[in-house]
Amino acid sequence: MVAFDLDGTLIDSVPDLAHAIDRMLVDEGLTALGEDRVRDFVGNGSRVLVERALAAHDLATDGLATDDLSRVEQAHQSFLAHYAADPSSRTRLYPGARECLEGLRQAGIPLVLITNKPEAFIEPLLSHFALSEHFALALGGDSLPTRKPDPAPLLFAAERLGVPPRQALMVGDSRHDIAAGRAAGFRTLAVPYGYNHGEPISRSHPDHVVDSLAELVVAD
């Protein structure tokens, strides 16, 4: 079994996330941050993304909850509404992602998707890129009580598909993917181009690093 992260691994979703964040900030009477700033905030789920954006305007501390929890919740709901209205028009597949998924599926290897993105956004994105058929299971950050870097989603997927963790691989772009994979007993593979808050993914010591996911499949 191969488990894939989504944002920063298969797709570059920052342009759409940043657009929704900037519209949320304007709703809050704040200035837009722009794609380059928001890119550094992505990777730990939608609420943390909103908190980090608010923190950039000194409304929160260290990206954690502000003491005005109602305002954070209001901002979070605003972001979700804006993102739901258009989650895919600016998002792009990374080179090699489709080839990788098609090759692994043709080889008969079960594939699962494990992301911290809210579950409601997974199927619209997979459908937009015609990727839904590749995955036997897709889990979002709110599908289970805990999310990555907790290993629970990975272990849930392995149990659901009847695969021993030692025969599973976690593929991701961030330290949370690698930590979750290691804690679950999976092998780990990382890509260097995603969202890891400016830190080289090699510092998380994945078992392997590939420049392109296409390297996971071998041409005939």
Side-chain angles (χ1 to χ4, degrees), residues 142-215:
D142 52 357
S143 298
L144 299 172
T146 57
R147 63 188 183 186
K148 298 177 297 183
D150 193 292
L154 283 68
L155 293 171
F156 178 91
E159 182 178 1
R160 174 68 64 88
L161 271 65
V163 176
R166 67 181 180 277
Q167 295 179 11
L169 176 71
M170 180 68 217
V171 180
D173 65 301
S174 79
R175 59 183 180 267
H176 301 296
D177 297 314
I178 304 309
R182 185 177 295 116
F186 286 27
R187 298 285 288 174
T188 58
L189 183 143
V191 292
Y193 52 69
Y195 317 144
N196 198 35
H197 313 295
E199 177 182 303
I201 193 60
S202 58
R203 292 183 185 173
S204 296
H205 305 292
D207 294 308
H208 303 282
V209 178
V210 295
D211 291 327
S212 168
L213 290 176
E215 295 179 41

Side-chain angles (χ1 to χ4, degrees), residues 100-188:
C100 173
L101 296 175
E102 291 177 349
L104 292 175
R105 184 166 175 251
Q106 290 170 7
I109 299 173
L111 307 180
V112 299
L113 188 73
I114 303 178
T115 172
N116 282 346
K117 180 186 289 294
E119 183 177 324
F121 299 119
I122 296 175
E123 183 53 34
L125 282 164
L126 293 183
S127 295
H128 176 79
F129 291 107
L131 297 178
S132 300
E133 65 180 359
H134 294 303
F135 296 102
L137 176 68
L139 298 174
D142 52 357
S143 298
L144 299 172
T146 57
R147 63 188 183 186
K148 298 177 297 183
D150 193 292
L154 283 68
L155 293 171
F156 178 91
E159 182 178 1
R160 174 68 64 88
L161 271 65
V163 176
R166 67 181 180 277
Q167 295 179 11
L169 176 71
M170 180 68 217
V171 180
D173 65 301
S174 79
R175 59 183 180 267
H176 301 296
D177 297 314
I178 304 309
R182 185 177 295 116
F186 286 27
R187 298 285 288 174
T188 58

Side-chain angles (χ1 to χ4, degrees), residues 61-135:
T61 303
D62 297 327
L64 302 176
T66 147
D67 41 9
D68 187 352
L69 297 179
S70 63
R71 187 169 193 188
V72 173
E73 181 58 26
Q74 173 181 299
H76 186 218
Q77 292 305 314
S78 171
F79 163 77
L80 292 175
H82 287 304
Y83 189 57
D86 186 9
S88 59
S89 66
R90 303 165 187 82
T91 294
R92 298 292 179 265
L93 272 179
Y94 283 113
R98 187 180 301 279
E99 295 84 349
C100 173
L101 296 175
E102 291 177 349
L104 292 175
R105 184 166 175 251
Q106 290 170 7
I109 299 173
L111 307 180
V112 299
L113 188 73
I114 303 178
T115 172
N116 282 346
K117 180 186 289 294
E119 183 177 324
F121 299 119
I122 296 175
E123 183 53 34
L125 282 164
L126 293 183
S127 295
H128 176 79
F129 291 107
L131 297 178
S132 300
E133 65 180 359
H134 294 303
F135 296 102

